[in-house]
Amino acid sequence: MLFPAKSRNRSLMVAATVCIASSASSDAIEIEIDYSLDANGFFNQPGSKEAFRAVCDYFESILTDDLARIDQSEWTGETWAARVRNPATDVVESIPGKVIPADTVVIYAGGRPLGGSLGRGGPGGYSVTGTGADAQAWFNLVETRGESGALQVPPRDFASWGGSVAFNTSTTWNFSLTSATGNPSFVSTALHELGHIFGVGTSASWTAYIIGSVFTGPKSAASFGANVPMSGDGAHWRDDAACVLPNGYNPLNPLNVLSKTVGQFGTPAGLDQIARMDPSSCQIPGNHLVFTELDLAGLDDIGWDITSAPPAEIVAPALAISRNPSNGHVTLSWTAENSFAYQLEESPILSGWQDLGSPVSGVSGPASVTDTTPPTGANFYRLEVGPAPAPVTPPSFASAPEMWLGEAVHGSREPAVVENCGGCAAH
Ligand SMILES: [Zn+2]
Ligand SMILES: [Zn+2]
């Protein structure tokens, strides 16, 4: 009796350990950068590798999917080859038997002259063969990295072994990690191209949400407040097609697909910005164009597990104070951002702060609160700032196109690439 009980205890302990291990393994993905195809030496430029590593680090910090290992030596009768679009030549090449470690994505990075485009990026393809009972499992592994939602109909997840990205070798780049200049921002471009590698415009689970000219992914629709208008290629949000100072877009342009920055690479969180997966880059000196809440929602809809966004860098706005000489009322005013909620507080002694007036949220522009009963003598006012409650928008759902899923034991997928990522200069 003692032994079985003991052994049962032991197996319970093992089960508990496995459980812990599996929750711990929902750590960040790892991005392995491979410069072996950079035959044109794009990444010989000072600061280029550091900047690309930093952009990859950003994606590592937000994507937490568990991705299966691809290693044909662990299988019997199964083989594969990664199909990669060579960034130096645009030729698709095979890399037979490549080993892709668990939770790892391999990105071949390089450059070539790209005409008017700043960059080209997309996920890799593959060819796969197999025989016997495990062939379909092998096929599924290479296709999905174990993300079962990718096999659903319609597909609701996506993962690839990796992909490739080419940057324009004819461009004079700004490789700064913190600020944009008049030259095209490498950081902004790399963020955009990695968006394509991770499936924006290049995956079946992205395409499944396109209905007509809008993207109906529920996370994106909730973030934008409606189904999101797309550019004609189905691979980008709609182009605002305006590039004007001071902010790089015309605030009154009805074509804008605006969102809020998530706060990266020197750009504060909560700023209005044309979403980064817009097809063209408006290059103006100042902040880098960075990922916005909408871009992250797009990745979420594709099926990526996104870590809860890092807390927005909240910067309290300047508080202006004025006193009405006729009645003694004191008015506090500031410029509000509609992604934040504000509560004015008062105290005559800089402690024991009391709320003054109601919270202000959903306001973009001037906001104010008036103290109609200020005490005699000195009084202090301050503004508490926090994230605004998320607006509840009913997402619209529609049936997505059916996807055929064959019984084939061999198959292939060619690398995807988005062709028309342009750029424009403000001056
Ligand atoms: Zn996923
Ligand atoms: Zn693009």
Short mmCIF file of all heavy atoms in Angstrom, two decimals, residues 196 201 206 210 230-237 279 418-421:
data_model
loop_
_atom_site.label_atom_id
_atom_site.label_comp_id
_atom_site.label_asym_id
_atom_site.label_seq_id
_atom_site.Cartn_x
_atom_site.Cartn_y
_atom_site.Cartn_z
N HIS A 196 5.14 42.75 -41.19
CA HIS A 196 4.82 41.84 -42.31
C HIS A 196 5.36 40.43 -42.05
O HIS A 196 4.70 39.44 -42.37
CB HIS A 196 5.41 42.37 -43.62
CG HIS A 196 4.72 43.59 -44.15
ND1 HIS A 196 3.34 43.70 -44.21
CD2 HIS A 196 5.21 44.75 -44.67
CE1 HIS A 196 3.02 44.88 -44.75
NE2 HIS A 196 4.14 45.54 -45.02
N GLY A 201 -0.72 41.25 -43.46
CA GLY A 201 -0.82 41.23 -44.92
C GLY A 201 -0.20 40.01 -45.56
O GLY A 201 -0.18 39.91 -46.79
N TRP A 206 -4.70 36.66 -41.17
CA TRP A 206 -4.95 38.07 -41.47
C TRP A 206 -6.00 38.18 -42.58
O TRP A 206 -7.01 38.86 -42.45
CB TRP A 206 -3.65 38.75 -41.89
CG TRP A 206 -3.79 40.11 -42.49
CD1 TRP A 206 -4.00 40.41 -43.81
CD2 TRP A 206 -3.74 41.37 -41.81
NE1 TRP A 206 -4.08 41.77 -43.99
CE2 TRP A 206 -3.93 42.38 -42.78
CE3 TRP A 206 -3.55 41.74 -40.47
CZ2 TRP A 206 -3.93 43.75 -42.45
CZ3 TRP A 206 -3.55 43.10 -40.15
CH2 TRP A 206 -3.74 44.08 -41.13
N ILE A 210 -10.44 39.91 -43.75
CA ILE A 210 -10.69 40.98 -44.72
C ILE A 210 -12.05 40.74 -45.37
O ILE A 210 -12.31 39.68 -45.93
CB ILE A 210 -9.59 41.02 -45.80
CG1 ILE A 210 -8.23 41.29 -45.17
CG2 ILE A 210 -9.92 42.09 -46.85
CD1 ILE A 210 -7.08 41.25 -46.15
N MET A 230 -8.75 49.51 -45.19
CA MET A 230 -7.46 48.97 -45.64
C MET A 230 -7.03 49.61 -46.94
O MET A 230 -7.85 50.14 -47.69
CB MET A 230 -7.59 47.47 -45.86
CG MET A 230 -8.08 46.73 -44.65
SD MET A 230 -7.94 44.97 -44.91
CE MET A 230 -6.17 44.82 -44.81
N SER A 231 -5.74 49.50 -47.21
CA SER A 231 -5.25 49.91 -48.52
C SER A 231 -5.63 48.83 -49.54
O SER A 231 -5.98 47.71 -49.17
CB SER A 231 -3.74 50.12 -48.49
OG SER A 231 -3.07 48.90 -48.39
N GLY A 232 -5.57 49.17 -50.79
CA GLY A 232 -6.04 48.27 -51.84
C GLY A 232 -5.32 46.94 -51.88
O GLY A 232 -5.87 45.95 -52.37
N ASP A 233 -4.08 46.89 -51.35
CA ASP A 233 -3.33 45.63 -51.41
C ASP A 233 -3.74 44.64 -50.33
O ASP A 233 -3.25 43.52 -50.29
CB ASP A 233 -1.83 45.90 -51.36
CG ASP A 233 -1.38 46.56 -50.06
OD1 ASP A 233 -2.21 46.75 -49.14
OD2 ASP A 233 -0.19 46.91 -49.95
N GLY A 234 -4.63 45.07 -49.41
CA GLY A 234 -5.07 44.17 -48.35
C GLY A 234 -3.97 43.84 -47.35
O GLY A 234 -4.14 42.96 -46.50
N ALA A 235 -2.85 44.52 -47.43
CA ALA A 235 -1.71 44.20 -46.59
C ALA A 235 -1.36 45.33 -45.61
O ALA A 235 -0.41 45.21 -44.85
CB ALA A 235 -0.48 43.89 -47.45
N HIS A 236 -2.11 46.42 -45.69
CA HIS A 236 -1.83 47.60 -44.87
C HIS A 236 -3.14 48.23 -44.44
O HIS A 236 -4.18 48.02 -45.06
CB HIS A 236 -1.05 48.65 -45.68
CG HIS A 236 0.31 48.21 -46.13
ND1 HIS A 236 0.56 47.78 -47.40
CD2 HIS A 236 1.50 48.14 -45.47
CE1 HIS A 236 1.84 47.46 -47.52
NE2 HIS A 236 2.44 47.66 -46.35
N TRP A 237 -3.05 49.06 -43.42
CA TRP A 237 -4.17 49.96 -43.14
C TRP A 237 -4.24 50.99 -44.28
O TRP A 237 -3.28 51.16 -45.04
CB TRP A 237 -3.99 50.71 -41.81
CG TRP A 237 -3.62 49.86 -40.63
CD1 TRP A 237 -2.57 50.07 -39.80
CD2 TRP A 237 -4.31 48.70 -40.11
NE1 TRP A 237 -2.54 49.10 -38.81
CE2 TRP A 237 -3.59 48.25 -38.98
CE3 TRP A 237 -5.46 47.98 -40.49
CZ2 TRP A 237 -3.97 47.15 -38.22
CZ3 TRP A 237 -5.83 46.87 -39.74
CH2 TRP A 237 -5.11 46.47 -38.63
N PRO A 279 0.85 52.04 -45.50
CA PRO A 279 1.83 51.61 -46.50
C PRO A 279 2.95 52.59 -46.79
O PRO A 279 3.95 52.21 -47.42
CB PRO A 279 0.98 51.40 -47.76
CG PRO A 279 -0.25 52.20 -47.54
CD PRO A 279 -0.48 52.24 -46.07
N VAL A 418 5.57 41.74 -49.19
CA VAL A 418 4.68 42.84 -49.51
C VAL A 418 5.47 43.82 -50.35
O VAL A 418 6.53 44.29 -49.96
CB VAL A 418 4.12 43.49 -48.24
CG1 VAL A 418 3.29 44.69 -48.58
CG2 VAL A 418 3.31 42.47 -47.48
N GLU A 419 4.99 44.08 -51.53
CA GLU A 419 5.80 44.76 -52.53
C GLU A 419 5.83 46.28 -52.40
O GLU A 419 6.80 46.91 -52.76
CB GLU A 419 5.29 44.41 -53.95
CG GLU A 419 5.48 42.93 -54.30
CD GLU A 419 6.93 42.55 -54.49
OE1 GLU A 419 7.76 43.46 -54.61
OE2 GLU A 419 7.24 41.34 -54.49
N ASN A 420 4.75 46.86 -51.97
CA ASN A 420 4.64 48.30 -52.20
C ASN A 420 4.74 49.13 -50.94
O ASN A 420 3.90 49.96 -50.66
CB ASN A 420 3.34 48.61 -52.93
CG ASN A 420 2.16 48.14 -52.12
OD1 ASN A 420 2.32 47.32 -51.22
ND2 ASN A 420 0.99 48.66 -52.41
N CYS A 421 5.76 48.86 -50.14
CA CYS A 421 5.96 49.72 -48.98
C CYS A 421 6.79 50.92 -49.41
O CYS A 421 7.99 50.82 -49.61
CB CYS A 421 6.67 48.96 -47.87
SG CYS A 421 5.76 47.53 -47.34
#
